[in-house]
Amino acid sequence: MTGKSPFEALSVETLAGRLRANGALCSQIGKDTSRWKVREVGDGNLNLVFIVEGAEGAAVVKQALPYVRLVGDSWPLPLKRSLFEYHALTRQQARAPGSVPDIYHFDEGQALIIMEYLSPHIILRRALIEGRQLPNIAKDIGLFMARTLFRGSDLSMATKDRKADLALFADNVELCDITENLVFSDPYFDAKMNRHTSPQLDGIVAELRADRDLKVEAQRMKHLFAANAETLLHGDLHSGSIMVTDTETRMIDPEFAFYGPIAFDVGMLLANFWMAFFSQRGHEQNGKRDAMRAYLLDVTVDTWSAFRAEFSHLWRTERDGMLYQKSLFEDQGDRLGAEQALDHMLHSIWTDLLGFAGVEVHRRILGLAHNADFETIADQDLRARCEAKALKFGRHLAVNRRQIHSIDEVNQLAALIERESRI
Ligand code: SR1
Ligand code: MG
């Protein structure tokens, strides 16, 4: 199979025949296709994902489909998202070495990436649903975000290179369009593909959709997302885009990558920890998840702290881009000026991440793309109680984000809502 053949989706049956001459794959897993075992394991919303095991090893073959897998071919989606994913992965590997899977091969025509098979890693969301406490995720993800978001921006890159990347990723129009609609707008009106736990949540959903302050704030976040091309984002950094063992953390699936606000990745990620927190009640037996709830709140504190510390470190040591240039501050003996500018920047990232977190919580409960944290709670009444608390929390973050000063304050709010909320 070459990049010049017309696109054709792989299947478990055809994969070995079509990739038998692929040198990169053969060198990872062995040439003898009679020993290849192929499984399709994609459980995301968009793509095919195969694990291919051979006599000498294993690899992942990921292929984009020309439509949204979750919905079907009535919703076409361009194959070029695979190109953006490939370029994002190579940049993330360079900026945060060891944080993403190794790439063995990319075929643009077949929208196909062959990459490292991460084993025994599992998806972070699944681990959190199972109640597993992973000791390293906060540090690993905090570092990943700080390194990729700082080093992909005008704080670090040569502006010519950054502008070239801005142009490259600006073509990821259709995936941005998904985020623009599914995250920032659809949850706040009766959009066609929305769904929620009904009838239990009908009342609270109607209230949120009539909430003028919330709608205005969600549109302000959308405006920021669309107009603040600050850095190369992962673009979809939720707990389903992270694979873990007890000691290792890898980020996957950056097909939504584009230039946007630093706070977007951080807010989306923290929102997923807070949703994991509110969903624990649906997964516990005999009150056994108290420690897990405490762990999840600690993870938010530690992630934000690791992000801040590393971002500040990079600010002081690698600020070689055209923004806040050293020639204006350190080179003039004005180290305090550089610290003042850093404080401003961290403060706006903080305020904005709360807004992004609030809308991310809402869209996972009110929109098209729900998450397994809540969806796997079989008892609908119990699920609705967990979701209602998260909705209330998300509304508070989005609307009051400028009045919230610390992550401890956010976590006290989460704990209060968890204890007191009733629907
Ligand atoms: C139609 S795609 C829905 C969602 O799946 C992806 O993982 C993104 O989160 C997107 O918003
Ligand atoms: Mg994904």
Side-chain angles (χ1 to χ4, degrees):
M1 187 164 92
T2 73
K4 293 190 182 108
S5 327
F7 172 84
E8 197 183 330
L10 291 163
S11 68
V12 169
E13 293 73 31
T14 62
L15 187 143
R18 290 183 60 201
L19 295 180
R20 63 189 313 140
N22 187 293
L25 182 57
C26 290
S27 72
Q28 288 300 324
I29 72 169
K31 283 184 181 161
D32 181 358
T33 52
S34 71
R35 305 278 304 277
W36 288 14
K37 285 195 199 114
V38 183
R39 286 176 286 149
E40 206 278 314
V41 295
D43 64 352
N45 295 329
L46 301 179
N47 307 299
L48 294 170
V49 182
F50 300 92
I51 294 172
V52 191
E53 291 172 285
E56 292 164 31
V60 164
V61 176
K62 178 172 179 181
Q63 190 180 37
L65 289 165
Y67 54 84
V68 175
R69 185 178 184 172
L70 173 71
V71 175
D73 54 13
S74 61
W75 186 346
L77 200 62
L79 297 171
K80 67 185 177 192
R81 65 185 186 273
S82 182
L83 176 83
F84 301 120
E85 176 163 356
Y86 167 70
H87 284 303
L89 283 167
T90 59
R91 282 153 182 72
Q92 289 167 348
Q93 183 65 276
R95 291 168 189 162
S99 62
V100 299
D102 288 342
I103 302 300
Y104 304 139
H105 178 78
F106 173 56
D107 179 337
E108 186 177 351
Q110 296 302 319
L112 181 154
I113 303 174
I114 304 179
M115 65 184 111
E116 184 182 6
Y117 170 48
L118 298 171
S119 175
H121 302 63
I122 64 166
I123 291 288
L124 173 59
R125 195 186 299 288
R126 210 176 97 204
L128 299 180
I129 291 170
E130 288 170 3
R132 277 177 59 186
Q133 296 181 25
L134 300 140
N136 295 342
I137 53 171
K139 182 178 91 324
D140 292 345
I141 305 169
L143 287 178
F144 170 80
M145 293 191 299
R147 290 173 181 168
T148 56
L149 299 173
F150 184 93
R151 292 175 173 154
S153 78
D154 264 331
L155 295 167
S156 164
M157 290 177 80
T159 190
K160 181 169 176 289
D161 297 338
R162 194 199 79 99
K163 286 184 168 73
D165 262 12
L166 183 65
L168 172 71
F169 286 94
D171 195 29
N172 203 2
V173 177
E174 291 78 4
L175 274 78
C176 285
D177 179 75
I178 288 180
T179 304
E180 285 150 9
N181 287 309
L182 263 54
V183 176
F184 298 103
S185 289
D186 289 6
Y188 303 106
F189 75 104
D190 189 18
K192 199 165 145 224
M193 288 182 295
N194 283 347
R195 63 193 171 84
H196 63 261
T197 309
S198 180
Q200 292 89 337
L201 293 183
D202 290 355
I204 188 167
V205 173
E207 261 175 49
L208 289 173
R209 290 190 178 144
D211 187 330
R212 180 183 296 148
D213 292 341
L214 176 60
K215 284 191 293 183
V216 169
E217 216 46 62
Q219 289 308 293
R220 294 181 74 176
M221 299 322 299
K222 183 177 185 176
H223 186 172
L224 250 185
F225 176 82
N228 188 5
E230 203 170 23
T231 194
L232 181 63
L233 298 176
H234 176 287
D236 198 25
L237 192 60
H238 53 76
S239 50
S241 298
I242 298 173
M243 298 198 71
V244 292
T245 66
D246 282 336
T247 53
E248 261 226 341
T249 313
R250 303 280 195 101
M251 290 11 101
I252 60 170
D253 282 358
E255 66 203 308
F256 283 77
F258 93 118
Y259 265 80
I262 290 174
F264 181 76
D265 276 357
V266 190
M268 182 174 267
L269 190 266
L270 291 180
N272 278 265
F273 289 138
W274 282 313
M275 283 188 277
F277 170 85
F278 285 111
S279 72
Q280 291 298 313
R281 191 73 65 193
H283 304 297
E284 74 190 344
Q285 283 137 7
N286 310 323
K288 286 199 184 112
R289 292 289 179 104
D290 288 347
M292 186 64 191
R293 271 187 285 275
Y295 160 80
L296 284 164
L297 297 187
D298 286 347
V299 166
T300 65
V301 174
D302 296 344
T303 303
W304 174 235
S305 156
F307 170 84
R308 279 178 63 102
E310 181 68 2
F311 194 91
S312 302
H313 170 70
L314 297 174
W315 179 278
R316 291 172 192 132
T317 56
E318 287 188 18
R319 208 176 73 255
D320 301 320
M322 59 94 159
L323 282 183
Y324 307 97
Q325 61 215 69
K326 286 184 182 153
S327 50
L328 289 173
F329 297 104
E330 287 90 338
D331 295 355
Q332 308 284 338
D334 187 13
R335 286 181 56 189
L336 216 55
E339 292 299 305
Q340 182 176 326
L342 170 62
D343 283 343
H344 280 293
M345 185 132 195
L346 286 171
H347 182 72
S348 44
I349 293 172
W350 165 251
T351 309
D352 295 340
L353 82 81
L354 294 177
F356 289 125
V359 297
E360 167 68 2
V361 170
H362 287 166
R363 73 96 168 214
R364 294 292 186 188
I365 298 170
L366 307 179
L368 166 73
H370 288 218
N371 63 25
D373 309 58
F374 296 120
E375 293 293 289
T376 54
I377 303 172
D379 177 336
Q380 301 268 310
D381 292 333
L382 179 56
R383 182 201 299 175
R385 282 199 295 279
C386 296
E387 290 175 326
K389 292 176 188 181
L391 289 173
K392 192 170 179 179
F393 173 79
R395 194 261 173 206
H396 189 95
L397 292 195
V399 173
N400 300 306
R401 62 199 177 94
R402 283 175 216 78
Q403 282 72 49
I404 301 174
H405 302 293
S406 72
I407 197 143
D408 287 336
E409 215 177 308
V410 178
N411 285 336
Q412 279 163 24
L413 174 81
L416 182 75
I417 293 176
E418 169 57 25
R419 278 195 307 273
E420 292 188 347
S421 254
R422 297 278 179 278
I423 57 162

